[in-house]
Amino acid sequence: CYEGSLTTVMEKPKVIATVYPNEGDLRILEFQFTYPRSVAVLNVMQSTVNTIMNAAYDYVNYDQSEMEKAILLYSFLSERHAYTEGSSETPVYSLLYEGIADSRAFAAVYSAMCTKAGLHCSIVQGAKNGHVYHWNILELDSGTWHVDTFADEQNGLREMKLLTDEQMYGYEWDREAHPACTGAAAPEESLSPD
């Protein structure tokens, strides 16, 4: 539940499960969630994330094509910070507010921004060069593409790279669980926001 809600659940709780009584056909399962930060701090973090996500949504408008929206949201994310690679117990907040991120945080935030703007963008959990890694699959009218915002950030790219399955060198994923990314004819629009 936490992994699927990174933009709304700010921090992963410690979970303790208790069963009452210990035997019998009818038993109760009680979950206790403990968060390292207080509710007040988590609420401030959530408010900060909501403000930034709403600003990203306001960055696009209804008259733009799907491709234009995807490019603008990519630009909004890539130009926000000079990011530092690192994992965090608060991945979305750390990426959007502090500029500390890993592939999971980038994939979660880009997917959430695109989804809020009406685009179909999913998160892929797979591997890159043998290590656990996350990226997105973006389904547009012009085709279906892989987008790796984290790798683009690491390489200093400021233009969105749309990749097909064949161009995903070093990546591994469950191909049956995700749509094939065959791309389309090269889009006529520029992939930069200018």
Side-chain angles (χ1 to χ4, degrees):
C1 181
Y2 166 74
E3 287 297 328
S5 308
L6 289 175
T7 58
T8 55
V9 179
M10 292 294 97
E11 183 173 52
K12 186 175 184 175
K14 179 180 176 184
V15 181
I16 298 172
T18 310
V19 177
Y20 303 100
N22 289 334
E23 299 175 359
D25 291 338
L26 184 60
R27 299 194 282 179
I28 297 170
L29 178 59
E30 177 183 76
F31 292 102
Q32 179 182 2
F33 299 91
T34 306
Y35 293 87
R37 290 171 179 77
S38 70
V39 171
V41 169
L42 291 173
N43 284 338
V44 168
M45 292 169 72
Q46 181 64 61
S47 178
T48 301
V49 167
N50 287 343
T51 299
I52 296 167
M53 294 295 284
N54 287 335
Y57 179 68
D58 291 342
Y59 199 54
V60 299
N61 67 50
Y62 295 105
D63 295 335
Q64 294 164 325
S65 72
E66 288 183 342
M67 180 64 78
E68 289 169 330
K69 287 180 184 181
I71 292 167
L72 284 172
L73 292 171
Y74 176 93
S75 175
F76 181 92
L77 184 57
S78 68
E79 295 175 6
R80 180 153 187 79
H81 288 290
Y83 294 98
T84 302
E85 183 176 353
S87 22
S88 168
E89 293 298 316
T90 58
V92 170
Y93 176 82
S94 294
L95 181 145
L96 292 174
Y97 186 71
E98 300 169 332
I100 300 168
D102 57 13
S103 67
R104 176 180 73 149
F106 266 94
V109 169
Y110 189 65
S111 176
M113 289 188 329
C114 288
T115 299
K116 186 165 182 160
L119 303 176
H120 187 354
C121 182
S122 58
I123 300 170
V124 179
Q125 179 179 337
K128 182 177 179 186
N129 299 323
H131 300 284
V132 174
Y133 197 80
H134 300 78
W135 67 94
N136 299 103
I137 290 182
L138 188 58
E139 297 179 55
L140 304 173
D141 290 339
S142 65
T144 303
W145 311 89
H146 293 276
V147 177
D148 186 347
T149 52
F150 184 63
D152 290 353
E153 178 61 33
Q154 288 179 311
N155 294 322
L157 299 179
R158 292 293 176 250
E159 293 184 3
M160 186 167 69
K161 252 174 100 174
L162 300 174
L163 302 169
T164 63
D165 287 347
E166 290 74 33
Q167 296 170 312
M168 297 296 285
Y169 306 112
Y171 294 80
E172 298 173 25
W173 68 98
D174 182 350
R175 292 174 184 250
E176 292 181 13
H178 299 284
C181 295
T182 57
E188 297 199 14
E189 314 173 32
S190 167
L191 294 181
S192 68
D194 299 327

